[in-house]
Amino acid sequence: MFLAIKEILHEKVRYGLIVTMVVLTSYLMFLLMGMMFGLASENTVAIESWGTKAVVLNKNANVSLSQSLIAPSQLPKLTKHEAELGLVPVVMETVGQKESHKTSLQFVGLKEDQFIAKDKLAITSGHRVQKSNQLVLDESLKDKGYRLGSKVKFGNSATEYTVVGFAKDAKLNISSIAYGDLSVWQSLRGVGNQFVASGIISDQAKPAVTAGLASYSVNTFIEKLPGYSAQNTVFEFMIGFLMVISVIIIAVFLYILTMQKLANYAVLRAQGIPAQRLINATLGQALILMVVGVIIALLLTVVTGAVLPTAVPMLFNWPLTIGVAVALVVMGVIGALLPVRVIKKIDPLDALN
């Protein structure tokens, strides 16, 4: 390790370039992981906040809450562990202001006496929905000008609603949620009394179902969210490729440096320095470079997470991020095995030539 450190200090520019490449690739990797978890969270945070274990939908809805409709005759006997829910995409517009705001979001209709409306909404300001003309909005909509007492309407409807509260964790499929009464969902969806809900949310794994309905685990339901699986797969491949690129970078740089120092290594071998010591020095260099580069990248990630605006969907899973950092260091050391083969083949007689 002493030889490794001395050589790094002697060749600051060369090894500094390697550290810079490790920092950049690691930093990009950590940011991509943060974006992946951030976007995934905005897809599912509302579902998780409801304590969902299972979702009951119309069996012909292809596991899609927005496509599902449950008729009164299909509604099973509900317990305190189930809640009816209606979902419809809407455009919400402020009224009575000089400059109106239009926002695309998901309207979620609930019954106030069921467990989601009673116990699962994390109200940060205001209060829960108590009347059919009241709404609770995602707290991020405050940044778009919505306030307690704001008057809004949906689409071409002339009916006005009052914002009475804001809730955190109110996002579904990357869209903000407006919570309201289930009867409002029937009106917005245009189904009247023909259908009572889009689906049933249960905090139990096996809720009761009737003919025409099907129960799905929360994991199955989430995997079927539009774009969710494809989005995560793309990020996972990008992160995997970056890890491979990091290994190639450290291996190629160390290989080039080793080839440039073959004459020096031959002299050291001729002086009686064992090949294993030179190999240990090379592996030690790889370890130092990777550790320094990854630590700098982690610090940059922490700073970036602190200064990014809340509008950017960034969520860091630090245990997993640290695990990936350790894997990067290990893979970098493995990449250093390429120049190790060259060192093993050095012939001390080359120094005499």
Side-chain angles (χ1 to χ4, degrees):
M1 190 63 73
F2 173 78
L3 182 59
I5 295 174
K6 291 293 289 184
E7 187 172 0
I8 290 173
L9 294 176
H10 184 262
E11 298 284 354
K12 297 182 182 68
V13 176
R14 290 182 178 180
Y15 288 104
L17 290 174
I18 299 177
V19 171
T20 300
M21 294 302 296
V22 173
V23 169
L24 293 176
T25 54
S26 301
Y27 178 55
L28 179 58
M29 192 181 309
F30 298 150
L31 287 184
L32 285 174
M33 287 180 63
M35 291 179 64
M36 181 180 74
F37 285 114
L39 289 171
S41 174
E42 292 202 350
N43 270 292
T44 64
V45 66
I47 299 169
E48 294 167 358
S49 72
W50 301 335
T52 309
K53 295 291 181 62
V55 181
V56 178
L57 304 171
N58 188 302
K59 68 179 182 180
N60 297 318
N62 194 30
V63 202
S64 172
L65 186 59
S66 60
Q67 299 299 317
S68 175
L69 289 171
I70 297 177
S73 60
Q74 296 175 311
L75 192 66
K77 184 178 180 180
L78 301 181
T79 69
K80 64 180 182 180
H81 299 289
E82 287 89 43
E84 298 167 64
L85 182 145
L87 178 71
V88 60
V90 294
V91 175
M92 184 174 68
E93 180 181 2
T94 57
V95 295
Q97 296 183 6
K98 292 182 180 180
E99 294 184 5
S100 63
H101 303 281
K102 286 186 177 181
T103 306
S104 297
L105 43 73
Q106 302 275 6
F107 179 86
V108 173
L110 301 170
K111 283 191 173 181
E112 61 176 311
D113 60 343
Q114 294 178 341
F115 83 94
I116 294 179
K118 285 172 62 179
D119 305 320
K120 297 299 183 179
L121 300 189
I123 304 296
T124 57
S125 60
H127 59 81
R128 292 175 172 79
V129 172
Q130 297 170 346
K131 299 178 182 178
S132 61
N133 66 338
Q134 296 180 343
L135 299 174
V136 170
L137 303 183
D138 171 28
E139 65 176 352
S140 69
L141 292 177
K142 290 180 180 179
D143 297 334
K144 296 186 178 181
Y146 295 93
R147 299 288 183 267
L148 291 176
S150 293
K151 301 291 184 179
V152 301
K153 66 176 185 176
F154 295 115
N156 295 324
S157 172
T159 306
E160 293 187 5
Y161 302 88
T162 303
V163 178
V164 298
F166 289 93
K168 68 176 182 179
D169 299 335
K171 287 185 181 293
L172 180 63
N173 217 189
I174 315 182
S175 295
S176 294
I177 289 175
Y179 289 107
D181 192 78
L182 193 58
S183 63
V184 177
W185 167 80
Q186 291 176 310
S187 174
L188 294 173
R189 191 74 164 81
V191 296
N193 294 322
Q194 292 179 317
F195 297 98
V196 294
S198 298
I200 299 169
I201 304 298
S202 176
D203 61 5
Q204 302 293 304
K206 295 183 178 180
V209 295
T210 59
L213 302 182
S215 175
Y216 304 95
S217 69
V218 65
N219 290 334
T220 300
F221 177 72
I222 288 174
E223 287 297 322
K224 289 291 185 176
L225 288 174
Y228 180 80
S229 297
Q231 169 191 289
N232 287 348
T233 300
V234 169
F235 276 109
E236 287 166 1
F237 270 104
M238 291 173 67
I239 292 168
F241 282 131
L242 281 172
M243 292 188 74
V244 173
I245 290 170
S246 296
V247 174
I248 293 174
I249 287 173
I250 193 73
V252 169
F253 268 90
L254 288 177
Y255 181 79
I256 293 173
L257 290 176
T258 301
M259 295 301 293
Q260 291 176 340
K261 295 181 295 185
L262 281 180
N264 296 335
Y265 282 146
V267 171
L268 290 173
R269 293 286 287 114
Q271 292 177 342
I273 303 297
Q276 188 60 49
R277 185 172 179 183
L278 300 178
I279 291 172
N280 291 341
T282 300
L283 294 177
Q285 286 174 353
L287 179 63
I288 293 170
L289 296 174
M290 291 302 298
V291 169
V292 171
V294 168
I295 288 176
I296 293 174
L298 284 172
L299 293 175
L300 288 174
T301 303
V302 172
V303 173
T304 302
V307 300
L308 278 177
T310 55
V312 179
M314 194 76 70
L315 177 65
F316 295 105
N317 183 330
W318 288 113
L320 185 58
T321 302
I322 298 299
V324 170
V326 173
L328 274 173
V329 173
V330 173
M331 293 180 71
V333 174
I334 292 173
L337 295 177
L338 179 62
V340 162
R341 295 183 60 189
V342 177
I343 295 173
K344 280 186 176 181
K345 295 179 181 179
I346 292 175
D347 187 352
L349 293 176
D350 291 341
L352 302 177
N353 297 326

